[in-house]
Amino acid sequence: GLKLSSADISGAFLEECLNETVYVKFATRLWQGAPTDTIVRLCRSLYGLRQAPRCFQLGLFKFLEQSGYVATVNDPCVFTKRLEDGSDQIVLAHVDDLLIMGTSAEANKTLHTTLLRKYKKVTWEEECTSFVGTQIERPQEGGYKLSMPGYCSAITRDLGLPLKVGGTDSNGKIMENPVLSPGYHPSAHAKEVP
């Protein structure tokens, strides 16, 4: 089966050079003695800059492609690569978080080494148990179980619904999805959502 690993690129929006000329008014508290009207030209991307996410994405995608990964036709954020042993590796990019799927943890770790050639700090999780708010479990019977308990809880809390996530039913069977509590009737809990 596939091994799942994850990577988080720290300081991602500070890593890329800008493709266009951007000038900003310099904050005098950052540079004592600078006149209040100092204007500086940015050479690199910066958090808070509108172009920062796109600039990082383009740089990451270019780097992955230079490292032998190919973006899929249906989703430009999913990359594949044929490894030396003939197996395929899949990389899913979500902003600065990457989910890596390969036949072994060692094969996945090669991407970590590759990323460190470009980025200063890459946090690596050898065995991924969650990705962008999605919990990932591997049941004994095989496959993967994906769930979003935090998201489900937030929705039920915000809507004031008596829902519970997971648990067991009256027969002791594990409930995989959020289910309505016993005795729930929609009209009794109707709430206008803004």
Side-chain angles (χ1 to χ4, degrees):
L2 291 176
K3 303 292 182 194
L4 273 60
S5 303
S6 67
D8 180 13
I9 301 169
S10 300
F13 291 178
L14 304 174
E15 294 287 343
E16 298 299 332
C17 292
L18 291 169
N19 296 329
E20 65 268 3
T21 304
V22 177
Y23 292 94
V24 294
K25 187 172 181 182
F26 200 82
T28 55
R29 70 178 181 275
L30 297 177
W31 183 20
Q32 292 182 349
T36 57
D37 58 349
T38 302
I39 305 291
V40 295
R41 179 177 178 235
L42 293 179
C43 296
R44 296 179 86 63
S45 185
L46 187 67
Y47 279 89
L49 200 60
R50 283 193 331 227
Q51 328 51 342
R54 180 71 174 148
C55 188
F56 171 73
Q57 181 189 45
L58 291 173
L60 173 64
F61 289 5
K62 182 178 179 183
F63 180 73
L64 287 172
E65 288 169 356
Q66 289 171 343
S67 301
Y69 292 87
V70 177
T72 61
V73 174
N74 293 325
D75 190 337
C77 296
V78 177
F79 293 80
T80 61
K81 180 179 181 179
R82 178 69 39 102
L83 302 177
E84 290 178 11
D85 65 1
S87 65
D88 290 321
Q89 187 176 62
I90 302 167
V91 177
L92 174 92
H94 178 78
V95 190
D96 61 351
D97 296 310
L98 304 175
L99 179 66
I100 301 95
M101 297 165 267
T103 55
S104 71
E106 296 79 32
N108 289 352
K109 188 77 172 164
T110 60
L111 179 60
H112 181 230
T113 306
T114 302
L115 289 168
L116 286 171
R117 287 194 319 238
K118 177 170 176 69
Y119 301 105
K120 293 178 185 92
K121 184 176 179 195
V122 179
T123 304
W124 184 258
E125 189 178 341
E126 186 109 358
E127 191 168 320
C128 184
T129 56
S130 68
F131 183 71
V132 193
T134 303
Q135 300 299 315
I136 304 169
E137 296 177 41
R138 186 144 193 190
Q140 289 180 344
E141 59 272 9
Y144 289 94
K145 176 184 169 188
L146 305 176
S147 63
M148 299 181 83
Y151 183 65
C152 293
S153 295
I155 290 173
T156 59
R157 181 193 65 240
D158 292 349
L159 295 177
L161 298 174
L163 299 177
K164 60 182 179 179
V165 178
T168 58
D169 64 13
S170 58
N171 297 321
K173 183 177 183 229
I174 294 175
M175 297 182 292
E176 302 279 332
N177 299 313
V179 294
L180 295 173
S181 298
Y184 172 78
H185 190 276
S187 63
H189 298 281
K191 180 177 176 182
E192 190 172 318
V193 179

